[in-house]
Amino acid sequence: MSGSDDWWRDAVIYQVYVRSFADTDATSVGDLPGIRSRLPYLRDLGVDAVWVTPFYPSPMADGGYDVANYRDVDPLFGTLADAESLISDAHDAGLRLIVDLVPNHTSDQHAWFRAALAAGPGSPERSRYIFRAGRGPGGGDPPTDWQSAFGGSAWQRVPDGEWYLHLFAPEQPDLNWENPEVIEEFHEVLRFWLDRGVDGFRIDVANALKKDQSFPDLGHAEESLLEPVEGPHHPFWDRDEVHEIYRGWRRVIDEYGGDRIFVAEAWVHSPERLACYVRPDELHTAFNFAFLQASWAAERMRPVIDSCLATTAAVGAPTTWVLSNHDVTRHATRYARLGDTAPPGGERHVEPDVPLDLEQGLRRARAAVLLTLALPGSAYIYQGEELGLHEVLDLPDEVLQDPVWERSGHKERGRDGCRVPIPWTVDGPSLGFGDGAAWLPQPASWSGLSVQAQTGAEGSVLELYRAALRLRREQPALGSGALRWLDSPEGALLFERTDGRGAATLCAVNLSATPVSLPPGHRVFLASGPLGPAGELAPDTAAWLRPGQ
Ligand code: GLC
């Protein structure tokens, strides 16, 4: 583990979705000892840090994003001692560890919410949440027309007639961030985990904590569940007041020295709005989802890269690249859409009836990792993308667990297809995930994509990721240097990275349907696929080059 305070500016961070990583106690669900047992794999892969999704006590109404106690571990995942061992083992392996913090809402089983229900209207216990009287005869209509991101009204009525706000599932009541007690509680939760040695926090829905206190109607339905339209004047997404909260959090984390960090999950409508979260006295980093949503075309990718770099540079922060996570369709499948079926802003989800070419998607995903790891800034890898996993689009209805499936009246299948437990071995009841079945069934074809099958296999996706991560470490110009665009054939991207000492690396990506020639006087040292007979870059292929023959 490097001792640099600035490690996070160009770190590669691996996302572990704890339920689907490794199960050591035959519960069908992954656990903290499972992560500990796989730390050598993560170290050898070549990442710098690991972000672990929520492992706190939870009724699992939303896969653990409904937290009943922020200072403990759910028995399904292990114990607090397991969490402490995970942190110290990760450090011993040279890896930093980032935990997930869910401040917008608690579980309805959190002690605060139970007390709020018991205490009744007007009580201090209720003022930790957002309770309101209803409208219409007898207050039988919700206080506003706001919709939950998971479908249906964002308000739920309780037996005494009041309504409470839940921007997500009804089991996830929103906290009232106007209440100083809530602010203080989260400062203490930060300290609880910082005292245990964590290196940072990923902040869940960081853009939703502050609500317009006049509680206006939105006046229209959100266009799509899970893809809300955000804007600075929206009554709950990305309001300017949210930034006060993060200034307070920054003061807390800075008490622990300069090398602990925040990364915000904030789906906002522009890179400019995102940059507000990473101003010098706020959060260190924020996922740049504009890149994730850019479709596979040079003329779409390049302006997104430029605006993300420029907006974060203006506030002195690095850009944070990410292509997949536990909330979106895996990018190998998004890039499999045939023709230009993604709208200009891209889509996070691929519907089951969209025509797909999975080979094309995989070729593009291989090229995309070389593009991503050649860009300045930090990058995230979502578990299984290093194996080339596709979204599982044909999960049987009866296994689906994402609350979106029920809340949308079975119109949206939700996010389970990117959460299928990952394959470690070529055989075994759940391909090495655990000793029993996995909580979501794995496709039989995943045997051939397992870590065991791909390790040492020439040309495998896993070996491509390993080589790229190793070379990124060895080539200082790739992590922290500047980016300069070079002239490139239409449909391709070509840029140079320099480290300020004269060392240069070039990255070429062919996003077009025809081969393009590579710059003369350079030698390819890593490519995402075979080059053409005359050394040209095939469609959907990327290469790293350096000067020389
Ligand atoms: C974030 C999480 C997602 C969760 C939601 C509500 O978007 O990534 O998985 O459902 O917040 O907590």
Side-chain angles (χ1 to χ4, degrees), residues 39 62 67 116 122 158 166-167 183 224 227 231 280 374 406 427 436 440 508:
L39 287 171
D62 183 22
V67 178
V158 300
H166 60 88
L167 293 185
I183 297 173
S224 161
E227 294 199 26
E406 288 301 330
D427 48 30
L440 288 171

Side-chain angles (χ1 to χ4, degrees), residues 55-204:
F55 47 69
Y56 315 107
S58 167
M60 306 290 162
D62 183 22
Y65 282 95
D66 45 324
V67 178
N69 177 356
Y70 291 87
R71 296 175 174 84
D72 205 349
V73 172
D74 195 283
L76 191 59
F77 300 133
T79 62
L80 191 54
D82 289 327
E84 289 169 344
S85 306
L86 173 62
I87 297 164
S88 63
D89 285 4
H91 290 166
D92 290 348
L95 298 164
R96 311 216 183 218
L97 196 99
I98 292 173
V99 294
D100 212 316
L101 190 69
V102 188
N104 181 64
H105 43 263
T106 69
S107 159
D108 62 350
Q109 298 307 311
H110 190 285
W112 274 10
F113 194 70
R114 287 162 172 259
L117 289 185
S123 60
E125 287 84 353
R126 282 218 173 166
S127 74
R128 294 165 176 154
Y129 293 90
I130 303 172
F131 279 87
R132 286 282 176 288
R135 296 193 290 193
D141 296 329
T144 69
D145 64 356
W146 302 356
Q147 283 188 295
S148 145
F150 292 162
S153 170
W155 296 92
Q156 176 82 14
R157 202 168 194 197
V158 300
D160 57 43
E162 279 205 321
W163 298 74
Y164 69 85
L165 180 70
H166 60 88
L167 293 185
F168 293 88
E171 296 87 351
Q172 295 168 296
D174 280 49
L175 285 163
N176 174 18
W177 278 89
E178 303 303 316
N179 184 338
E181 209 186 334
V182 172
I183 297 173
E184 191 47 39
E185 167 66 3
F186 273 85
H187 287 181
E188 289 311 312
V189 170
L190 291 174
R191 290 193 177 98
F192 179 88
W193 289 102
L194 289 165
D195 287 340
R196 277 160 186 77
V198 301
D199 299 289
F201 301 88
R202 176 260 187 191
I203 307 168
D204 190 59

Side-chain angles (χ1 to χ4, degrees), residues 17 51 62 65-66 100 102 105 150 168 172 202 204-205 226 265 267 325-327 402-403 415 419:
Y17 188 68
W51 149 36
D62 183 22
Y65 282 95
D66 45 324
D100 212 316
V102 188
H105 43 263
F150 292 162
F168 293 88
Q172 295 168 296
R202 176 260 187 191
D204 190 59
V205 275
L226 294 174
E265 183 217 21
W267 291 90
N325 63 34
H326 65 290
D327 291 329
D402 186 347
R415 302 159 293 176
R419 300 174 175 181

Side-chain angles (χ1 to χ4, degrees), residues 395-425:
L395 286 170
D397 293 356
E398 60 278 12
V399 304
L400 297 180
Q401 293 196 17
D402 186 347
V404 169
W405 171 239
E406 288 301 330
R407 299 264 317 158
S408 70
H410 296 183
K411 285 199 193 69
E412 300 204 20
R413 296 184 66 77
R415 302 159 293 176
D416 289 318
C418 63
R419 300 174 175 181
V420 175
I422 62 171
W424 294 93
T425 54

